Amino acid sequence: MNASEFRRRGREMVEYVAGYLEAIERRQVYPSVEPGYLRPLLPSCAPQEPDTFEEIMEDVEKIIMPGVTHWNSPYFFAYFPTGNSFPSILADMLCGAIGCIGFSWAASPACTELEMVMMDWLGKMLQLPDAFLVERGGEGGGVIQGSASESTLISLLAARTKATWRLQAASPGLTKAAIQEKLVAYCSDQAHCSVERASLVGGVRLKTIPSDDKFAMRAAALQKALEEDKAAGLIPFFVVVTLGTTSCCSFDRLSEVGPLCDKEGLWLHVDAAYAGSAFICPEFRHLLDGVEFVDSFNFNPHKWLLVNFDCSAMWVKNRTDLTGAFKLDPVYLKHRHQASGFITDYRHWQLPLGRRFRSLKLWFVFRMYGVTGLQAYIRKHVGLAREFESAVRGDARFEVCAEVVLGLVCFRLKGSNELNEALLEKINATKKIHLVPCHLRDQFVLRFAICSSVVNSSHVQLAWEHIRGLATDLLRAGPEPKAALAEIKS
Amino acid sequence: MNASEFRRRGREMVEYVAGYLEAIERRQVYPSVEPGYLRPLLPSCAPQEPDTFEEIMEDVEKIIMPGVTHWNSPYFFAYFPTGNSFPSILADMLCGAIGCIGFSWAASPACTELEMVMMDWLGKMLQLPDAFLVERGGEGGGVIQGSASESTLISLLAARTKATWRLQAASPGLTKAAIQEKLVAYCSDQAHCSVERASLVGGVRLKTIPSDDKFAMRAAALQKALEEDKAAGLIPFFVVVTLGTTSCCSFDRLSEVGPLCDKEGLWLHVDAAYAGSAFICPEFRHLLDGVEFVDSFNFNPHKWLLVNFDCSAMWVKNRTDLTGAFKLDPVYLKHRHQASGFITDYRHWQLPLGRRFRSLKLWFVFRMYGVTGLQAYIRKHVGLAREFESAVRGDARFEVCAEVVLGLVCFRLKGSNELNEALLEKINATKKIHLVPCHLRDQFVLRFAICSSVVNSSHVQLAWEHIRGLATDLLRAGPEPKAALAEIKS
């Protein structure tokens, strides 16, 4: 395909994309396909000779789209939102065309430098302390990672290295393995599974701290665990505070836990994957109070800030903590400016070597929306969640299961877990809207997350009427929800 | 920005992208900017109110492009190629619009299933053994990772888990830490730095095996190290074979090392990041002989198969080796089909949770080029490398430093390292072409990698004439290259 054919096909794709997103609510949000649906629809080998673009686009509509879960549909209320906006898609087109791999400053100076400035812009929007901002002369700085999971892992690894060096400096005879065996990481019992995975990868123990009645980790509970572990000869080194948990968007008490970690000399990482975007609004910024005690902080603009996946924003208070843990310098990656000390080579900040020019997405989105536009977007979602919450509270058969702070409502029918499992099964089987569940303590709970960039009050109301109707059917079916469940599953 | 404005701006961006790539050779391949150039050209904060699209695109040309290293320029001969093609850019637009996050089958069935089929297609193009192909009923399968670094790390971690379980089964009293302390990974002294980083992350020892005179790891040298380590009470568990090293595109002897690893019960990972694409040509497939002994195999279609970053193809012989090492199943990610056993939930195959619909890029590229088109592309690059090699061999002042197998030529002026450093400095200072160096043993060597999708014989010839001319200047400057070097650096 040469440039002039691309001009034609590119315009066609722009039209397809515009049409897809414009009319997305007319598509069934969750697909009707069964596992294995696709393979019989495709040849078993790649074609020897080229197919035409028309054939491919026909297949997109005919065989791909029927198997897609439409995350951008206004009837999608599952998981958490995934960022999507036209400015971000435009920036990604440019990113693809430039196609530079920004592992070092020299590999594409603009790629590194725009990222540094955009992370400062974003840090200022969040009112991060100066230590995190390069422009303010801080010793920290920001970097775009691929995901919150990677940010947690990298933080844990950097903390592990730092703790090991400190302990070896104090007791030169200690081996790495002897130290690692005793290191303990901590998170709330509501933390994301990626924290457990990070501890598995890092080969360290993880202790989960019981959260309080608001599903928040408190300093007292953490302190108790620290004391116990130290008494048992273990070495606490790393704490993850979650702001906006996946299950119910609860907030660990950063302003309590921060000072404790500071006093104990523990690396404190904040995972605000979903909720972080809201901190650009002054009325939600207090949720980040205590960030001055944090060593590393991460959230995903690719969730709730209209930036397409992947774009996970991470800041560290001291950049040498990261680069010290990972720095390797083969000759083929050395360049003239490297020794100057004024250079950021982002490969030392992340696990992969390669990286896309992802800051273009932030730049386009910030400029095309403006801060006020982004704040308005967050507020719209929070408002819709409050609207749904009111509706739930207005129906005595239902209960709200956790405080609604941002765009997620956890709710359930008063009654058994089986009843609620049956309700969710019914909801997802009819495929008008899509939700996923969670467990809060022993309760099976439905999560209603405001996700789509085009969702509005009418979709939320329709969703609620639909849920209410299904609940009525279910309750009418009798006192034995298992029968109803069996009926649905058959 | 609504859909109708996106139609307009999307067409403008298509035009910009087409124009950029069409005329890329008129841009200076390596930028003239100094570190810190960008920040003064940008506001210090994000705008409160939206800017216009015109303003952004003006800035792209005015302040971003002057800082870009143009990886797709036909005068770019540095590092290794980065994949770039119009079909891939089109697929990525569609991927952005769909914007699903494919961590589980249910999160978007088409995303998971197309990836499974595309990895089978690609595996068949490479003539991988049936064990790696899902369609053939193998116990393995393919997955798209973000980078070769991640593939190496994941393989090492899976191997670590497997070894730990095996040893604990044999000696139930052994702790993980006691085992980990003794585990040893192996790679050639020519392996990529990501292997060392994987060993740091995984907390295991790494031993580098001296390569032979062709920069290849041989079975005898590996066996010697294994014997020594076992005699010292250590536990070998993981070997990385590199096919197409970063420094000089040498090939470890897989057909020798494979049987040895098999006999010793070691996990064998193959890193063919760059070279793997060439194995779709029958005449290069022999370089992969021995793959039947491999536990995990990885290469980057985003390097040399016209697919834009990121798209790193990885296969394992036994998928439970991977999923066993990482599986965590929170309620909010469970879905109805999960228990069936027929489902692939790719989140268990990788470190991050989120993932883009990257298989669309493979699908578009395979179909728009056909296998013959992709083979022709590989052959064109190899032919151009041979052409450059002939030119170097035709000039008695130069020498070729490693066998030219694919698209990389390692060469140098006969003489001191300082002389060659001076030559490279001169080449990159004039910014007509861009190269990076490597060390082969104690020699400073220039790497000439065929990279761009639009490079042809005339560019290679111009590059060679340019290098020759600079060499002539340098040699004329006298017998003391340090003076010449100082002059260039001033």
Side-chain angles (χ1 to χ4, degrees), chain B residues 3 25 58 60 159 215 303 317 333 344 377 399 410 414:
Chain B
E25 72 176 276
E58 258 176 46
V60 166
F215 307 103
K303 278 201 167 65
K317 196 184 267 169
L333 296 178
T344 295
Y377 182 68
E399 59 189 343
C410 286
K414 291 169 185 164

Side-chain angles (χ1 to χ4, degrees), chain B residues 334-392:
Chain B
K334 282 195 196 297
H335 55 86
R336 190 164 70 89
H337 290 289
Q338 193 167 303
S340 71
F342 294 109
I343 289 296
T344 295
D345 285 337
Y346 272 128
R347 71 176 181 281
H348 303 306
W349 296 56
Q350 60 173 23
L351 288 174
L353 180 62
R355 54 205 328 274
R356 281 166 70 88
F357 199 161
R358 292 176 291 202
S359 57
L360 287 171
K361 292 189 285 195
L362 288 175
W363 194 46
F364 273 54
V365 166
F366 293 161
R367 295 187 67 180
M368 293 295 292
Y369 285 89
V371 175
T372 53
L374 295 171
Q375 289 170 333
Y377 182 68
I378 297 289
R379 287 169 183 147
K380 184 185 112 179
H381 273 204
V382 176
L384 291 172
R386 300 260 160 85
E387 193 178 323
F388 186 82
E389 181 194 11
S390 301
V392 174

Side-chain angles (χ1 to χ4, degrees), chain A residues 30-328:
Chain A
Y30 187 80
S32 294
V33 300
E34 291 294 309
Y37 90 97
L38 186 63
R39 193 178 288 272
L41 305 176
L42 291 174
S44 74
C45 294
Q48 284 296 306
E49 300 303 323
D51 291 339
T52 65
F53 189 72
E54 285 84 355
E55 288 168 325
I56 298 173
M57 290 308 290
E58 257 176 47
D59 283 347
V60 166
E61 198 50 49
K62 214 167 57 190
I63 67 181
I64 300 298
M65 283 299 176
V68 168
T69 304
H70 298 287
W71 282 59
N72 297 303
S73 162
Y75 297 113
F76 182 90
F77 302 104
Y79 314 109
F80 272 135
T82 183
N84 191 280
S85 70
F86 290 122
S88 173
I89 292 173
L90 290 168
D92 226 14
M93 288 165 67
L94 182 60
C95 167
I98 293 175
C100 62
I101 305 297
F103 43 67
S104 69
W105 182 87
S108 211
C111 179
T112 295
E113 297 206 6
L114 187 65
E115 185 162 332
M116 293 171 71
V117 178
M118 287 306 103
M119 292 302 291
D120 272 0
W121 280 19
L122 187 52
K124 288 177 189 176
M125 287 160 68
L126 299 166
Q127 301 176 51
L128 291 186
D130 287 355
F132 295 95
L133 305 177
V134 176
E135 195 212 53
R136 300 259 167 86
E139 291 182 3
V143 57
I144 300 175
Q145 304 283 359
S147 65
S149 309
E150 284 163 272
S151 297
T152 303
L153 174 58
I154 286 168
S155 303
L156 180 141
L157 295 171
R160 189 185 71 178
T161 302
K162 205 177 170 182
T164 304
W165 287 347
R166 194 188 59 229
L167 292 161
Q168 285 184 326
S171 316
L174 278 178
T175 66
K176 269 189 195 181
I179 292 168
Q180 201 170 307
E181 193 166 23
K182 293 187 174 166
L183 293 176
V184 191
Y186 302 84
C187 66
S188 134
D189 57 14
Q190 301 299 312
H192 191 260
C193 58
S194 54
V195 182
E196 185 181 348
R197 185 181 277 201
S199 73
L200 284 175
V201 170
V204 296
R205 292 162 199 249
L206 176 71
K207 187 171 261 188
T208 54
I209 306 298
S211 55
D212 71 5
D213 59 346
K214 287 186 155 186
F215 307 102
M217 179 165 67
R218 305 293 300 268
L222 175 61
Q223 182 141 30
K224 183 162 168 284
L226 296 176
E227 298 310 330
E228 283 168 11
D229 287 345
K230 286 192 288 185
L234 298 173
I235 307 170
F237 81 110
F238 182 68
V239 175
V240 176
V241 153
T242 309
L243 299 180
T245 56
T246 307
S247 47
C248 67
C249 200
S250 59
F251 290 78
D252 291 341
R253 289 284 191 91
L254 178 56
S255 54
E256 283 182 10
V257 172
L260 175 59
C261 292
D262 190 45
K263 184 169 73 84
E264 298 278 339
L266 309 178
W267 182 297
L268 177 54
H269 176 71
V270 168
D271 170 5
Y274 162 68
S277 297
F279 305 156
I280 67 168
C281 298
E283 68 272 30
F284 299 121
R285 174 57 176 76
H286 68 93
L287 295 165
L288 190 58
D289 285 354
V291 68
E292 61 275 17
F293 296 107
V294 160
D295 294 284
S296 50
F297 167 62
N298 168 249
F299 84 99
N300 289 342
H302 70 227
K303 278 202 168 65
W304 200 14
L305 213 56
L306 291 159
V307 179
N308 283 62
F309 188 88
D310 54 333
C311 181
S312 183
M314 177 189 187
W315 289 264
V316 287
K317 196 184 267 170
N318 192 327
R319 50 188 174 260
T320 56
D321 285 343
L322 276 197
T323 57
F326 299 118
K327 203 162 189 163
L328 298 170

Side-chain angles (χ1 to χ4, degrees), chain B residues 460-482:
Chain B
V460 170
Q461 291 302 330
L462 267 169
W464 172 240
E465 288 310 319
H466 179 59
I467 293 167
R468 269 173 58 118
L470 294 175
T472 301
D473 294 350
L474 187 67
L475 293 169
R476 194 181 293 144
E480 184 43 273
K482 275 191 188 151

Side-chain angles (χ1 to χ4, degrees), chain B residues 179 236 271 323 346 393 441 446 448 451 490:
Chain B
I179 293 168
D271 171 6
T323 57
Y346 272 128
R393 290 194 191 278
R441 314 282 185 235
L446 282 66
F448 189 90
C451 288
S490 68

